[in-house]
Amino acid sequence: KQEVTQIPAALSVPEGENLVLNCSFTDSAIYNLQWFRQDPGKGLTSLLLIQSSQREQTSGRLNASLDKSSGRSTLYIAASQPGDSATYLCAVRNAGNMLTFGGGTRLMVKP
Amino acid sequence: DTAVSQTPKYLVTQMGNDKSIKCEQNLGHDTMYWYKQDSKKFLKIMFSYNNKELIINETVPNRFSPKSPDKAHLNLHINSLELGDSAVYFCASSHFGTSGETQYFGPGTRLLVL
């Protein structure tokens, strides 16, 4: 059974800092890995999707890496802004097209 | 222009009642999902459904039944509601395939069982 863990559970940083969020998963037989953002009281917004054959994906100030063999992914956020404050969720897709989510990292970027 | 929409946004009801949550997507996707996010914010898959196949997460009680009148809709019916059913329920959709595509999520339905 796939298990996904995210560390840290919460993170508070001053504006402008670069930061790294971590995600680990137990079953390396994944199709892809996604990072989502969830704002309070809102749904999920997909940030980046990395296919199992890829090592990283970039979108603006975000960079996600994937090391499938070790069961790890990181989300790097450059030059953080208060608008980045949200919960970041990592999810992996195994067979069956369903996603298994981590518990999320609650990020607070202080002005 | 909402891609995945859910109704109602909020649902407050008594234990023992039967309720339904509706989901619609206008993205032309062939696969839809229901997820449950509990009070600790853990998000867990409940069902995956496309035209031909319903995949049920084995931990979901059979009081929960998804119903899909067509490819663009996947409704969730819950019988005999219990206190532990209180959560946020998210609908999502995607194309089905091994390549793996982004799942698009609805805004969620906040269910409170009293």
Side-chain angles (χ1 to χ4, degrees):
Chain A
K1 177 187 172 185
Q2 178 73 269
E3 292 183 3
V4 181
T5 304
Q6 290 185 244
I7 296 173
L11 182 62
S12 181
V13 300
E15 182 177 5
E17 272 202 10
N18 302 323
L19 56 100
V20 176
L21 308 182
N22 297 292
C23 172
S24 61
F25 47 95
T26 55
D27 182 354
S28 62
I30 65 170
Y31 285 111
N32 60 46
L33 182 144
Q34 284 186 254
W35 284 94
F36 290 88
R37 169 183 173 141
Q38 184 176 26
D39 292 285
K42 304 286 187 181
L44 279 69
T45 302
S46 179
L47 298 172
L48 289 165
L49 183 150
I50 311 177
Q51 302 292 357
S52 62
S53 59
Q54 297 174 324
R55 298 283 294 182
E56 67 176 348
Q57 282 287 337
T58 298
S59 176
R61 294 182 294 107
L62 305 179
N63 175 279
S65 68
L66 174 63
D67 184 343
K68 201 173 76 162
S69 60
S70 67
R72 293 180 182 177
S73 175
T74 61
L75 178 66
Y76 176 82
I77 303 177
S80 58
Q81 303 170 358
D84 295 332
S85 298
T87 296
Y88 290 81
L89 294 160
C90 164
V92 298
R93 188 198 152 205
N94 293 101
N97 230 36
M98 296 188 285
L99 298 177
T100 302
F101 282 84
T105 295
R106 293 187 310 281
L107 173 65
M108 173 69 72
V109 180
K110 296 175 289 187
Chain B
D1 288 83
T2 304
V4 182
S5 60
Q6 296 178 227
T7 54
K9 189 172 182 180
Y10 298 96
L11 183 56
V12 181
T13 189
Q14 300 286 333
M15 276 177 54
N17 284 348
D18 302 338
K19 290 294 179 184
S20 292
I21 306 172
K22 296 184 177 181
C23 178
E24 176 181 2
Q25 54 94 6
N26 62 6
L27 297 167
H29 290 156
D30 54 12
T31 304
M32 297 182 72
Y33 315 81
W34 278 106
Y35 290 85
K36 178 181 179 180
Q37 188 172 42
D38 61 25
S39 58
K40 296 182 179 178
K41 304 299 184 186
F42 286 103
L43 198 65
K44 294 182 180 179
I45 182 70
M46 299 177 70
F47 306 100
S48 168
Y49 193 97
N50 67 14
N51 288 342
K52 302 172 183 177
E53 187 178 8
L54 171 66
I55 302 172
I56 301 174
N57 185 308
E58 60 188 19
T59 64
V60 178
N62 57 15
R63 298 182 295 103
F64 290 79
S65 54
K67 298 187 190 303
S68 181
D70 56 58
K71 208 167 65 168
H73 296 83
L74 182 64
N75 303 324
L76 182 64
H77 189 75
I78 315 170
N79 289 324
S80 302
L81 279 157
E82 300 178 358
L83 294 176
D85 297 333
S86 296
V88 183
Y89 292 85
F90 287 99
C91 176
S93 71
S94 73
H95 285 296
F96 186 84
T98 56
S99 64
E101 292 190 13
T102 298
Q103 291 187 14
Y104 293 83
F105 282 74
T109 295
R110 285 145 188 84
L111 171 65
L112 177 61
V113 182
L114 301 175

